[in-house]
Amino acid sequence: KRLVHEAISSKADMVIADYTKMTDEEIDLPQNSSTIDSNYETKESTGKELFLKELDPDQCYVWRTLYRTAFFKENGIIFIPKICYEDVPFTHECYFKAGKCIRASYPFYIYRIGHPSITSGVTIKKGMDYCIAIVRTWELIYLRDFSRIIIKKIKDDVFVSISALIY
């Protein structure tokens, strides 16, 4: 509710929240919204600023972000259909094209660890899908005239992804 209000009132392209990883045994949700309100802070940035400061190529999670629908339509942003790891190039592209972003510093999402997920386990198809995601991320360099520092970070992110694939 808090993030939706932030998204609507700010008219931001993206509202990005924190998350926390927990096992089923560790999950202990706050009992009331006063805890959220007392620890809740936001900061406005551009997508490129957040890309340089915060985007970890191993954590390109779309579920931690609210996106303005018109932002996708205005920028032609879509997922690569029928592959795993589509979050990686999708998230990078969103950060590059987003103007106004709100970064909310509160873990609004609990990522449950210890459960099978679509990306857990290794298969040939998943490896091929990851290769597609890596290539699409690399191709983002050619979207516009990026600064050297952004191009370097894209290359670093691609290297991290290739290393993860090889591992």
Side-chain angles (χ1 to χ4, degrees):
K1 181 177 175 181
R2 181 70 187 240
L3 288 180
V4 171
H5 172 73
E6 192 72 49
I8 292 169
S9 65
S10 70
K11 297 181 182 171
D13 293 327
M14 301 183 345
V15 178
I16 303 112
D18 287 337
Y19 64 95
T20 187
K21 292 182 179 184
M22 293 183 179
T23 63
D24 287 345
E25 295 78 29
E26 295 172 322
I27 293 176
D28 181 22
L29 298 174
Q31 297 301 311
N32 58 50
S33 62
S34 64
T35 307
I36 292 172
D37 291 338
S38 65
N39 295 319
Y40 182 82
E41 292 181 10
T42 62
K43 182 178 180 184
E44 185 177 324
S45 298
T46 67
K48 288 179 189 170
E49 290 169 341
L50 286 174
F51 168 72
L52 290 171
K53 291 179 188 172
E54 293 194 19
L55 186 64
D56 181 337
D58 290 333
Q59 298 176 357
C60 291
Y61 305 132
V62 296
W63 42 253
R64 68 182 287 200
T65 305
L66 296 179
Y67 301 91
R68 187 173 57 84
T69 305
F71 166 67
F72 294 139
K73 294 175 183 174
E74 293 162 1
N75 290 283
I77 300 172
I78 59 170
F79 281 107
I80 302 169
K82 301 179 183 178
I83 70 164
C84 293
Y85 307 103
E86 70 275 21
D87 293 12
V88 178
F90 178 87
T91 304
H92 279 76
E93 186 173 2
C94 286
Y95 276 68
F96 298 147
K97 292 182 175 179
K100 184 177 186 179
C101 297
I102 302 295
R103 182 65 174 86
S105 61
Y106 189 82
F108 281 99
Y109 189 89
I110 296 175
Y111 181 90
R112 289 175 57 204
I113 54 177
H115 291 269
S117 72
I118 196 157
T119 56
S120 63
V122 178
T123 67
I124 291 173
K125 176 171 179 354
K126 288 179 186 177
M128 292 172 63
D129 288 353
Y130 203 22
C131 287
I132 292 167
I134 290 168
V135 168
R136 288 294 285 274
T137 304
W138 180 266
E139 289 173 344
L140 293 172
I141 290 173
Y142 306 109
L143 277 178
R144 4 180 120 162
D145 288 332
F146 288 128
S147 67
R148 284 188 201 175
I149 192 162
I150 287 180
I151 290 173
K152 181 183 180 327
K153 179 153 182 352
I154 294 169
K155 290 178 178 180
D156 289 348
D157 287 2
V158 166
F159 177 77
V160 168
S161 295
I162 291 170
S163 299
L165 177 65
I166 292 169
Y167 177 75

